[in-house]
Amino acid sequence: MARPNLTLYPSSSRQNQFFLSEQRFLAWNVPPSELIHIPIHWLSYPEPEASVHILLGLLYIAFFLMSTLGNGLVIWIFTTSKSLKTASNMFVVNLAFCDFFMMFKTPIFIYNSFYRGFATGHIGCQIFAFAGSLTGIGASMTNACIAYDRYATISNPLEGKMTRTKALVMILFVWFYTLPWAILPLLELWGRFVPEGYLTSCTFDYLTDSFDNRMFVGVIFTFSYVIPMSLIIYCYSQMVKHVINHEKALREQAKKMNVDSLRSNQNTQAQSTEIRIAKVAVTICFLFVASWTPYAVVALIGAFGDQSLLTPGLTMIPACTCKAVACLDPYVYALSHPRFRVELQNKLPWLAIKESVTETQSTVSNTTTAAQA
């Protein structure tokens, strides 16, 4: 879309303003020295109403508070409670760390929103995008590690048990895997970080029409989305399949023995535990798909499709969905954990959390029984 003819008028303020029949366009309040950092695609769109910026700023304030509280509690409880210092929970802590620091960059977005645009400039944009890439891809790969750990524990409980050394090696691998996709565009060795949408958030450049940039988008799409997505779907689908096959085997054995069920009361509780595990698996897959698929689609359209489809308002949707999952992760992974609730009850009794220690121990025992079956 071609940018309409604009006339540059001098202003008494410190910034130049673009006017066209009293219609202001995006970047109207950006100094000329900063315009080179903004993809020309966005410059043809009108400035949104101030209320839109304010609503987005308030939404990100809610994201910030919710994520800081939830992930902060997870990091604190899981790192200070002996009963929760297990190898598998190291992944939960790493995920909470990623989500916590992903939302720590939101003050940049909030400041930009209340000042209606590219207020923090190129430096703020680089900080925002670097932190987003590092923690976003780190969270994706950590989700994949959690999926693998749960799949191995359920399908092969004797040999698949996670050790602290193995968990630490996997976490180190996650960060070594993630670093190049944040450092390369930051140094503009391959790709770059640019503002998007209403110029209040920043991400990697998916709009520049060049072979190198399209190649970068294709590679980062594969490594940050396709690979973790494939691992998560495979592991959780196999875990659910294992639970279903286990139930089928029990029914067939009961039929051969001419009994209604092989389950005692304890095994019935174990069955409910298995169903709960399967439900959590489906929830995790849904959250990952719902949060990161919009960004993947937008990036592919920008690099290989019709860029006119990408309006500023449309591209703000994936910017919000990936932040929303950083708020929901601690509640899916940790706050539903019985032991976590017991420790939270002990450390913060004023929250009035009523969690039975006996029931928790029974649930953990049943989970072990279900895994070994």
Side-chain angles (χ1 to χ4, degrees), residues 29 59 138 194 211 217 225 237 252 277 308:
N29 55 355
L59 177 63
V194 295
F211 176 80
V217 172
Y225 179 77
S237 63
E252 291 178 351
I277 290 172
S308 64

Side-chain angles (χ1 to χ4, degrees), residues 11 39 55 74 85 88 135 175 213 250 306 364:
S11 174
L55 285 174
V74 169
K85 290 183 178 180
S88 295
T135 56
W175 288 106
N213 197 65
L250 286 179
D306 183 3
V364 173

